Amino acid sequence: MAIRVVVADDHAAVRAGIVLILGGVDDIEVVGEAADGEEAVALAREKRPDVVLMDVRMPRLDGISATRELAGVADVLILTTFDVDEYVFGALRAGAAGFLLKNTDAESLVEAVRVVARGDGLISPAVTRRLISAFADMPPPRDRQAVAGLTPREREVLACVARGLSNAEIAKELDMAEATTKTHVSRVLGKLGLKSRVQAAIYYSAYEG
C-alpha cells in the first residue's frame, strides 16, 4: 500500500516541485496539497494521510501551530528553508516526527517520508549537533512518577525508542510482534504526555541523567 502524503507549502512552485518528486515514486501517493496551515489541517483531517510535509512560514496558520493541531491525526515532517533554533525546537515540541531543510536532495526527501511513515523520527544532520547541545544540560523531568507508572515492558520499549530503534528493531529485540510494539509505543507516549518518539528520546535521556 502506498504511503499517503499531504504537501503543505505557501509557495506554489516549491509545492509543485515536491509533488513532482514524490509523485515519481511507486510507494508514495500525494493525496492533497495545501497553501497554508489551516488548509493543511483541514486536508489532513479529511484525507487521513500517513505523513504531512509541512512548511513553517505559511499564512493564516503557521506550520508549527498546524503541527500541534495534527497530533494523533498524521505524522508531520517539517520541511523548511530556515534552520533557526526557534523553528527546530518549536517543531519538536509541537510533536513533529521529523525536521528537514529544503536543500535536501530528492532521494533523501523520499527516504525521509518513508522513515516517518514507518513511525520513526528523523532530524536533518545540519541541525542535529545543535539539538544535542541544547538538550545536553536539560534537568531530569520533575515528574518521575510518570515513568514509574509505566509497566516493565513499557520501560523496555521506552529505552529502545531512546536508542533510536525502529518498531521492527524493537520487536526483534524484545521478541514481540511489530503491531504490539506500535501499541506499546503509543501507550508510552500517552502516559508520559509526549507527542513524538523524538520527545520520548529526549525525555528518557533527561530522566536517566
Side-chain angles (χ1 to χ4, degrees):
M1 184 178 295
I3 299 168
R4 293 164 53 81
V5 178
V6 164
V7 178
D9 197 298
D10 61 327
H11 291 93
V14 173
R15 195 168 64 246
I18 295 172
V19 171
L20 183 63
I21 291 171
L22 300 181
V25 182
D26 291 340
D27 62 340
I28 295 177
E29 177 188 3
V30 177
V31 297
E33 300 179 42
D36 59 63
E38 285 190 6
E39 189 177 351
V41 171
L43 258 179
R45 287 174 174 165
E46 175 191 351
K47 301 291 187 179
R48 294 286 167 169
D50 301 298
V51 179
V52 176
L53 263 175
M54 186 85 74
D55 188 20
V56 171
R57 288 186 174 180
M58 292 188 294
R60 294 210 294 170
L61 187 69
D62 65 83
I64 292 175
S65 297
T67 297
R68 191 173 295 112
E69 291 197 23
L70 289 177
V73 177
D75 286 323
V76 176
L77 174 58
I78 297 290
L79 187 64
T80 180
T81 306
F82 310 95
D83 69 339
V84 295
D85 292 349
E86 175 187 354
Y87 293 154
V88 179
F89 304 149
L92 297 179
R93 282 194 295 266
F99 189 101
L100 279 182
L101 300 182
K102 285 183 179 176
N103 61 7
T104 300
D105 60 62
E107 184 177 349
S108 297
L109 174 59
V110 169
E111 184 56 29
V113 170
R114 291 171 177 153
V115 167
V116 170
R118 287 199 302 265
D120 298 328
L122 183 145
I123 303 174
S124 171
V127 300
T128 300
R129 184 177 294 275
R130 219 166 52 243
L131 181 65
I132 292 172
S133 297
F135 286 97
D137 298 323
M138 268 184 63
R142 294 178 182 177
D143 185 11
R144 289 179 173 267
Q145 291 302 314
V147 174
L150 299 179
T151 66
R153 177 61 91 186
E154 287 169 348
R155 286 197 289 273
E156 289 177 336
V157 170
L158 174 59
C160 289
V161 169
R163 287 164 49 199
L165 300 185
S166 67
N167 286 345
E169 290 168 334
I170 296 173
K172 183 177 180 180
E173 178 156 326
L174 300 182
D175 192 25
M176 58 185 180
E178 190 170 344
T180 303
T181 300
K182 187 173 182 179
T183 298
H184 278 306
V185 171
S186 296
R187 287 177 179 169
V188 167
L189 295 181
K191 287 184 177 182
L192 298 181
L194 304 174
K195 296 180 179 179
S196 71
R197 298 169 76 100
V198 175
Q199 287 185 347
I202 293 170
Y203 185 102
Y204 184 79
S205 298
Y207 177 85
E208 286 296 293

